[in-house]
């Protein structure tokens, strides 16, 4: 397991917002906003893996996309530090700067069946980013593709074949090769192992760790699976209805959570051990609607520790202990057990 | 608790006859489901676990067909007088007897509740229809009252008004509760649940699993719980079968499976999953090499041998293993445990 690098920040996200308008009627009048990402702030250190975890609809994918402006943010700032230490404000950058930026920030997608064009050979898929950016051609291009395929554990002999000839795990390797061919520094991995079989997940997770060590990559690892996130991340951010509710070093977050939602997530994971009874303490109710969130703390209708203040005042995102942030009025007072023993 | 087998499956084979070749989705499977017991069925995609469930329900459609085997089901169990055996595998798939059993004595819940409900009928209509289908001596009002009660029992708030809503207006968790209500309305002997929580978020999954465990105890039915999630079986099941490429590789009680897995596939699978930990950094995960092979090109001999770290060349790629008993209620399909294997290996060495 790699240790957290003490690098400088490669990415700084400040109060990022991505709202989607809800329209109605003949004139498509805007009648409301879905607050998919609602004031998200975090830093990414060079060489680390930050896990971004939450349930469906919490805004974790939109956060990843808003960073490279695949979804246009409606507010906030994203700063990216280039190799020469200059700071670029991605949220205000022009088209050419964004093009450079998108070479250095790459995405790995969830579904290896949908994210590879079935009409392109493996060679064309992996070579495409280099061609589009006119960075290589001819023999050089072929060498580079074959090098990438070897790096992700695929035989270059297969490069003239089409995606249908490969299993889910192999396709995900191809997707990773495509992301890394541009020699990026930051990789946004959006549920990269969720569509894979259990026995293949471990291969891809191990591969991602090896590549991080060899290439010094920084990962934003988006997932709904807490055990996977705990395994791969140095720090973890938990999202709920568009906001980060807790952010801490991995071990801290899993053993001393400070937000009741984090605790609820940890208690909900069915333990793969018949002697540990992990059911019987599930949360009440359902996730709040991001188009119509409750007043005060968004989590208050489901929170077992709710007080009057939670119904009225929205809690601040505060540093409760060194490097441990939480968005809860009572973070200091709650004594939450973390992962069940 | 009764422990007589409610369902006895022997040498069941369900194959799909496609232009590309024959897919042996379920290929000679034998196991029992005891009355009132939760049996977990674990395996990765393509192992045949869903087709196995559909074969028992007799809802496999062409080009798929159950070509061999017995599914002995004890209909008498329902009336408190065990011993009225029928063979589901022999029944025509649209015959009156299987239709009498299906949806009433044996019911099923599916992974995606949005697809399993008709989108153009209310939840209530669909539950009431199920009740009236199997019970002729009951009025529509009585059936509706029963539907309201069962919806209340599965935790639907305001069931009196919710019963007239359409599936699209309910959340994923609520739809799965309605699905469970529909499956339980007839007080079944056996509930087959095919990945019932896979489409749900982790907090909703915990709610649904708790509900299912509670209702299973309350109704006392047997349950066949199909899942790829080892956490879900560990929490829910008493016995487990592990499947790989259409075959059962191991069948035992849940504690033995986790404490002392015998089949290399089971052992490797348990080592490959990341687990929540309280202590320190995780060790590196032990991945299983390769991936599940294409169904058209099954490996010879033991289907797991190309990925098996303990495979014996000249044996595992040649001989198909049979189920061998290795302990009380513990069978495994691996040549490492059959006498023939040790003999074979010894022969190899002496050669």
């Amino acid at each position: 397991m790699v240790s957290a690098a003490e690098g400088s920040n490669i990415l700084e996200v400040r109060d990022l917002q991505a709202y989607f308008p809800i329209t109605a009627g003949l004139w498509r009048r805007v009648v409301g906003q879905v607050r998919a990402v609602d004031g998200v702030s975090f830093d990414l250190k060079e060489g680390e893996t930050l896990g971004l975890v939450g349930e469906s609809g919490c805004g974790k994918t939109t956060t990843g996309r808003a960073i490279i402006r695949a979804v246009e943010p409606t507010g906030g700032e994203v700063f990216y530090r280039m190799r020469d230490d200059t700071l670029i404000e991605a949220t205000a950058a022009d088209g050419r700067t964004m093009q450079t930026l998108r070479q250095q920030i790459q995405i790995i997608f969830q579904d290896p069946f949908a994210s590879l064009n079935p009409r392109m050979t493996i060679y064309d898929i992996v070579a495409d980013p280099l061609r589009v950016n006119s960075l290589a051609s001819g023999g050089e291009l072929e060498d580079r593709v074959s090098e990438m395929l070897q790096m992700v554990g695929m035989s270059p002999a297969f490069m003239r074949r089409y995606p249908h000839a490969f299993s889910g795990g192999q396709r995900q390797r191809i997707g990773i090769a495509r992301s890394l061919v541009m020699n990026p520094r930051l990789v946004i991995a959006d549920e990269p192992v969720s569509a894979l079989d259990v026995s293949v997940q471990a291969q891809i997770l191990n591969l991602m760790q090896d590549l991080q060590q060899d290439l010094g990559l920084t990962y934003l690892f988006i997932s709904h699976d807490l055990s996977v996130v705990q395994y791969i991340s140095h720090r973890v951010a938990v999202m709920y209805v568009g906001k980060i509710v807790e952010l801490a070093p991995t071990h801290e977050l899993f053993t001393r959570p400070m937000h009741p939602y984090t605790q609820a997530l940890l208690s909900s994971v069915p333990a793969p051990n018949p002697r540990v009874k992990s059911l019987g303490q599930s949360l009440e109710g359902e996730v709040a609607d991001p188009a119509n969130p409750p007043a005060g703390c968004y989590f208050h209708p489901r929170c077992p520790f709710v007080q009057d203040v939670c119904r009225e005042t929205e809690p601040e995102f505060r540093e409760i202990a060194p490097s441990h942030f939480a968005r809860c009025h009572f973070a200091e007072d709650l004594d939450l057990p973390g992962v069940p023993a | 608790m009764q422990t007589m087998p409610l369902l006895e499956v022997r040498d069941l084979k369900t194959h799909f006859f496609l232009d590309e070749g024959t897919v042996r989705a379920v290929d000679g499977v034998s196991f029992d489901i005891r009355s009132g017991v939760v049996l977990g069925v674990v395996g990765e995609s393509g192992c045949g676990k869903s087709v196995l469930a559909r074969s028992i329900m007799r809802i496999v459609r062409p080009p798929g067909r159950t070509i061999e085997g017995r599914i002995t089901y004890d209909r008498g169990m329902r009336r408190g007088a065990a011993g009225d055996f029928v063979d589901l595998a022999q029944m025509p798939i649209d015959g009156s007897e299987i239709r009498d059993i299906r949806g009433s004595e044996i019911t099923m819940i599916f992974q995606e509740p949005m697809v399993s409900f008709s989108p153009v009928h209310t939840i209530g209509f669909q539950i009431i229809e199920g009740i009236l289908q199997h019970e002729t001596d009951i009025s529509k009002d009585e059936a509706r009252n029963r539907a309201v009660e069962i919806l209340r029992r599965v935790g639907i708030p305001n069931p009196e008004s919710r019963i007239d809503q359409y599936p699209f207006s309910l959340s994923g968790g609520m739809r799965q509760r309605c699905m469970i209500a529909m499956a339980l309305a007839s007080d079944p002997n056996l509930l087959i649940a095919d990945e019932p929580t896979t489409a749900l978020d982790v907090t909703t999954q915990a709610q649904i699993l708790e509900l299912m465990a509670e209702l299973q105890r309350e109704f006392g039915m047997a349950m066949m719980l199909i899942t790829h999630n080892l956490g879900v079986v560990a929490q829910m099941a008493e016995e487990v079968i592990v499947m790989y490429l259409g075959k059962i590789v191991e069948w035992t009680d849940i504690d033995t499976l986790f404490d002392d897995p015998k089949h290399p596939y089971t052992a490797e699978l348990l080592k490959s999953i990341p687990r929540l930990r309280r202590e320190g950094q995780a060790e590196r995960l032990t991945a299983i090499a390769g991936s599940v092979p294409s169904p058209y090109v099954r490996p010879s001999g033991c289907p797991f041998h190309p990925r098996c770290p303990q495979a014996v060349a000249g044996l595992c790629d040649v001989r198909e293993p049979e189920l061998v008993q290795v302990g009380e209620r513990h069978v495994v399909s691996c040549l490492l445990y059959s006498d023939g294997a040790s003999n074979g290996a010894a022969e190899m060495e002496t050669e």
Side-chain angles (χ1 to χ4, degrees):
Chain A
M1 183 82 197
V2 285
S3 57
E6 293 297 316
S8 52
N9 290 340
I10 187 170
L11 193 79
E12 293 174 11
V13 178
R14 291 288 169 270
D15 206 22
L16 189 69
Q17 289 182 350
Y19 290 3
F20 296 99
I22 307 168
T23 55
L26 185 59
W27 311 110
R28 311 207 52 78
R29 210 159 29 90
V30 174
V31 293
Q33 300 280 348
V34 177
R35 302 172 174 199
V37 179
D38 196 10
V40 162
S41 304
F42 61 86
D43 295 337
L44 260 176
K45 291 193 195 72
E46 182 143 28
E48 78 164 343
T49 301
L50 175 69
L52 191 56
V53 67
E55 297 183 281
S56 50
C58 73
K60 54 191 192 300
T61 293
T62 311
T63 301
R65 296 191 173 203
I67 287 170
I68 51 159
R69 290 172 58 194
V71 165
E72 204 58 52
T74 49
E77 288 125 36
V78 175
F79 297 99
Y80 177 76
R81 190 178 301 274
M82 304 290 278
R83 279 203 178 88
D84 61 7
D85 229 27
T86 52
L87 210 58
I88 292 185
E89 187 181 348
T91 32
D94 57 21
R96 276 194 52 192
T97 320
M98 278 316 289
Q99 199 184 347
T100 334
L101 210 60
R102 288 192 181 120
Q103 294 174 15
Q104 303 203 7
I105 309 180
Q106 291 283 329
I107 299 193
I108 300 172
F109 295 97
Q110 169 171 0
D111 187 345
F113 292 86
S115 59
L116 303 182
N117 186 337
R119 290 160 180 255
M120 283 166 79
T121 62
I122 301 315
Y123 172 77
D124 287 328
I125 289 171
V126 178
D128 212 34
L130 290 173
R131 277 205 198 115
V132 167
N133 290 288
S134 324
L135 293 174
S137 60
E140 196 196 338
L141 187 62
E142 190 156 335
D143 289 348
R144 183 91 180 107
V145 171
S146 112
E147 185 195 334
M148 290 316 300
L149 288 175
Q150 269 169 336
M151 196 157 83
V152 299
M154 300 271 299
S155 163
F158 295 145
M159 69 162 98
R160 302 290 168 199
R161 299 175 81 170
Y162 290 86
H164 71 84
F166 298 94
S167 68
Q170 289 170 316
R171 284 183 212 212
Q172 201 55 301
R173 288 175 193 269
I174 296 163
I176 292 173
R178 175 180 57 185
S179 312
L180 299 185
V181 73
M182 294 299 296
N183 206 5
R185 297 168 66 212
L186 169 60
V187 174
I188 299 172
D190 190 0
E191 303 267 13
V193 296
S194 307
L196 304 178
D197 272 321
V198 194
S199 73
V200 179
Q201 269 195 14
Q203 293 173 10
I204 299 297
L205 290 173
N206 287 344
L207 173 68
M208 286 187 66
Q209 280 190 341
D210 293 345
L211 292 170
Q212 179 168 50
Q213 273 202 318
D214 297 348
L215 307 173
L217 296 170
T218 308
Y219 288 140
L220 179 63
F221 192 97
I222 301 170
S223 178
H224 71 284
D225 188 329
L226 287 138
S227 353
V228 168
V229 164
Q230 184 185 28
Y231 176 70
I232 201 151
S233 311
H234 303 111
R235 292 189 301 143
V236 176
V238 180
M239 282 188 78
Y240 187 74
V241 197
K243 292 179 190 288
I244 294 183
V245 296
E246 187 161 5
L247 174 64
T250 307
H251 187 64
E252 273 276 309
L253 187 108
F254 282 79
T255 51
R256 257 169 306 177
M258 289 186 174
H259 196 286
Y261 178 63
T262 309
Q263 181 60 49
L265 284 179
L266 294 176
S267 318
S268 298
V269 177
N273 178 350
R275 301 192 200 284
V276 176
K277 290 297 163 209
S278 67
L279 294 175
Q281 43 204 340
S282 69
L283 270 186
E284 302 271 309
E286 300 193 346
V287 177
D289 178 1
N292 185 20
C297 172
Y298 288 1
F299 187 60
H300 88 254
R302 308 176 76 188
C303 184
F305 307 102
V306 62
Q307 304 284 326
D308 284 343
V309 61
C310 306
R311 298 190 182 91
E312 287 145 22
T313 318
E314 201 191 319
E316 293 286 316
F317 191 54
R318 300 175 292 136
E319 187 163 11
I320 315 285
S323 312
H324 194 152
F325 299 81
R327 192 187 286 277
C328 174
H329 291 300
F330 300 99
E332 291 89 344
D333 311 332
L334 299 174
D335 189 16
L336 302 169
V339 173
Chain B
M1 194 200 311
Q2 301 176 60
T3 49
M4 306 259 299
L6 172 71
L7 195 82
E8 208 178 82
V9 176
R10 290 295 175 267
D11 296 317
L12 188 71
K13 290 187 181 176
T14 299
H15 293 182
F16 286 76
F17 301 91
L18 306 172
D19 294 340
E20 295 89 338
T22 302
V23 174
R24 289 144 67 181
V26 174
D27 199 27
V29 158
S30 303
F31 66 98
D32 299 339
I33 301 178
R34 291 180 293 148
S35 195
V37 166
V38 180
L39 174 78
V41 181
V42 184
E44 297 179 275
S45 51
C47 74
K49 53 195 193 298
S50 289
V51 176
L52 174 60
R54 281 156 197 269
S55 305
I56 295 173
M57 289 292 277
R58 305 285 290 144
I59 51 173
V60 176
R61 297 277 155 186
R65 198 151 43 86
T66 296
I67 51 166
E68 258 182 68
R70 286 189 290 118
I71 307 170
T72 312
Y73 165 65
D74 190 351
R75 285 200 83 174
M77 214 70 103
R78 194 171 185 75
R79 296 183 286 272
D84 178 10
F85 298 107
V86 291
D87 184 357
L88 304 182
Q90 292 305 317
M91 294 179 186
I93 58 172
D94 283 329
S96 64
E97 192 172 16
I98 187 68
R99 286 170 60 189
D100 210 24
I101 296 170
R102 188 199 295 148
S104 160
E105 296 175 36
I106 304 178
T107 59
M108 187 159 173
I109 55 183
F110 299 90
Q111 173 173 349
E112 212 341 296
M114 191 63 209
V115 188
S116 335
F117 274 113
S118 156
V120 296
H121 296 106
T122 62
I123 294 288
F125 178 88
Q126 299 181 59
I127 298 177
I128 293 166
E129 188 187 33
I131 298 173
L132 292 174
Q133 187 85 39
H134 293 286
E135 293 173 54
T136 42
D137 55 343
I138 182 171
S139 77
K140 268 195 175 161
D141 280 349
E142 283 170 312
R144 187 182 164 89
N145 288 339
R146 173 113 65 93
V148 169
E149 274 324 300
I150 191 83
L151 285 173
R152 194 190 314 281
R153 181 62 199 88
V154 298
I156 303 283
N158 312 318
E160 296 86 353
S161 57
R162 288 285 179 141
I163 191 168
D164 293 320
Q165 290 192 341
Y166 290 88
F168 72 84
S169 62
L170 301 168
S171 69
M174 284 296 157
R175 277 201 289 266
Q176 200 55 292
R177 286 174 194 269
C178 291
M179 188 92 230
I180 294 171
M182 189 149 93
L184 292 184
S186 59
D187 193 6
N189 289 350
L190 172 62
L191 173 66
I192 301 177
D194 187 2
E195 302 269 11
T197 58
T198 306
L200 305 175
D201 273 319
V202 57
T203 57
T204 315
Q205 163 167 285
Q207 292 173 350
I208 298 293
L209 291 177
E210 280 166 22
L211 175 70
M212 287 177 66
E214 221 176 274
L215 293 170
Q216 190 271 331
R217 281 193 295 272
E218 190 179 312
F219 284 68
M221 73 233 166
M223 190 154 89
M224 179 171 160
L225 176 66
I226 298 167
T227 178
H228 69 283
N229 186 325
L230 290 160
V232 171
V233 268
Q235 294 304 315
M236 299 287 291
E238 287 166 63
E239 285 179 27
V240 195
I241 57 182
V242 181
M243 289 185 72
Y244 189 78
L245 277 187
K247 303 214 178 259
I248 291 180
V249 297
E250 191 154 4
W251 171 25
T252 185
D253 66 273
I254 188 78
D255 288 340
T256 310
L257 189 90
F258 279 81
D259 294 346
D260 187 21
K262 292 289 188 204
H263 197 285
Y265 176 63
T266 318
E268 294 297 309
L269 202 59
L270 287 169
K271 274 191 260 173
S272 73
I273 50 168
R275 300 154 184 260
L276 287 186
R277 284 161 296 105
R278 280 201 74 80
E279 302 307 324
Q281 286 289 355
E283 293 164 31
R284 199 173 161 84
L285 295 173
T286 328
I288 306 183
S291 49
V292 180
S294 149
Y296 304 117
V297 278
R298 289 172 68 92
S300 60
C302 168
F304 186 58
H305 87 260
R307 308 178 71 192
C308 181
Q310 289 170 266
V312 181
L315 177 71
C316 296
D317 50 346
V318 180
R319 280 228 344 239
E320 259 194 64
E322 310 215 322
L323 282 177
V324 201
Q325 186 132 14
V326 289
E328 200 192 337
R329 302 205 72 83
H330 192 173
V331 294
V332 59
S333 156
C334 175
L335 293 169
L336 294 171
Y337 300 97
S338 59
D339 296 337
S342 37
N343 293 343
E347 274 167 36
M348 292 276 299
E349 278 166 29
T350 50
E351 267 169 22

